[in-house]
C-alpha cells in the first residue's frame, strides 16, 4: 500500500510540474477551463482528496480542537478578523435580501398600477371646439 501512495505522490508531483511548464511555455495563456480539464483527466483531484481523507482519518478530533483553541488564544487578532468577516458577510446577505425584496415589490407595484387616462392632445380642431 505504501508503494501505491509513493507512486501517486510521484505522479501528482510530475503532472503539476508539467502543467506549470506548459503554462509558462505558453506565456501564461492557458485558460482555467483547460487547467480544470487537465486536472480531471489526470485525476489530481482524486489524489488530493485521498491525501486529505488519510490525514483526517489519522487525526484525533479532540486533539485538533485543542490545537485550534490554543492557537486562537495565542493569536486573538485572528478571532477579531474572523468575527469581522462573519459580520460583514451577514450584513451583505441581509442587505442583498432586502434589496431583492424591494426590487420585487417595486416591480409588482408598477405592474399593478393602471395607466393614467390620456388627455386629448391640443390640436387646432380641439381648440375650435372649445372656443365655440
Amino acid at each position: 500500500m505504501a508503494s501505491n501512495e509513493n507512486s501517486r505522490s510521484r505522479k501528482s508531483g510530475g503532472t503539476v510540474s508539467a502543467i506549470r511548464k506548459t503554462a509558462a511555455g505558453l506565456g501564461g495563456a492557458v485558460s482555467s477551463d483547460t487547467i480544470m480539464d487537465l486536472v480531471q483527466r489526470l485525476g489530481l483531484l482524486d489524489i488530493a482528496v485521498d491525501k486529505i481523507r488519510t490525514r483526517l482519518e489519522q487525526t484525533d478530533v479532540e486533539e485538533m480542537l485543542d490545537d485550534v483553541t490554543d492557537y486562537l488564544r495565542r493569536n486573538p487578532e485572528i478571532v477579531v478578523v474572523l468575527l469581522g468577516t462573519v459580520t460583514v458577510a451577514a450584513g451583505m446577505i441581509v442587505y442583498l435580501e432586502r434589496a431583492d425584496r424591494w426590487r420585487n415589490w417595486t416591480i409588482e407595484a408598477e405592474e399593478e398600477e393602471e395607466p393614467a387616462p390620456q388627455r386629448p392632445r391640443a390640436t387646432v380642431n380641439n381648440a375650435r371646439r372649445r372656443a365655440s
Side-chain angles (χ1 to χ4, degrees):
M1 179 130 180
S3 64
N4 190 13
E5 288 179 14
N6 289 337
S7 66
R8 282 185 178 177
S9 64
R10 274 188 266 128
K11 181 180 178 184
S12 67
T15 55
V16 170
S17 63
I19 292 172
R20 288 184 182 152
K21 287 179 184 177
T22 304
L26 295 173
V30 177
S31 70
S32 59
D33 292 335
T34 304
I35 293 172
M36 290 306 296
D37 185 43
L38 284 172
V39 167
Q40 286 178 346
R41 288 184 184 197
L42 297 173
L44 295 177
L45 190 59
D46 294 334
I47 294 169
V49 168
D50 287 342
K51 286 183 179 182
I52 292 170
R53 182 184 306 128
T54 305
R55 181 73 182 242
L56 288 175
E57 288 173 353
Q58 295 172 352
T59 304
D60 182 28
V61 175
E62 291 180 15
E63 186 178 314
M64 185 175 63
L65 289 176
D66 290 340
D67 290 344
V68 169
T69 304
D70 291 341
Y71 179 79
L72 292 177
R73 284 186 182 146
R74 286 185 311 236
N75 301 303
E77 63 275 4
I78 300 294
V79 175
V80 172
V81 170
L82 288 174
L83 290 175
T85 303
V86 168
T87 303
V88 169
M92 287 302 296
I93 290 170
V94 169
Y95 173 78
L96 293 173
E97 181 66 27
R98 286 185 179 173
D100 189 44
R101 285 185 191 167
W102 177 257
R103 186 175 2 156
N104 290 339
W105 181 77
T106 55
I107 290 172
E108 289 172 3
E110 288 174 358
E111 290 174 354
E112 291 176 2
E113 287 181 6
E114 294 181 20
Q118 294 286 329
R119 287 183 52 195
R121 288 187 2 210
T123 60
V124 176
N125 291 334
N126 287 342
R128 289 182 189 155
R129 287 186 204 145
R130 287 186 198 145
S132 46

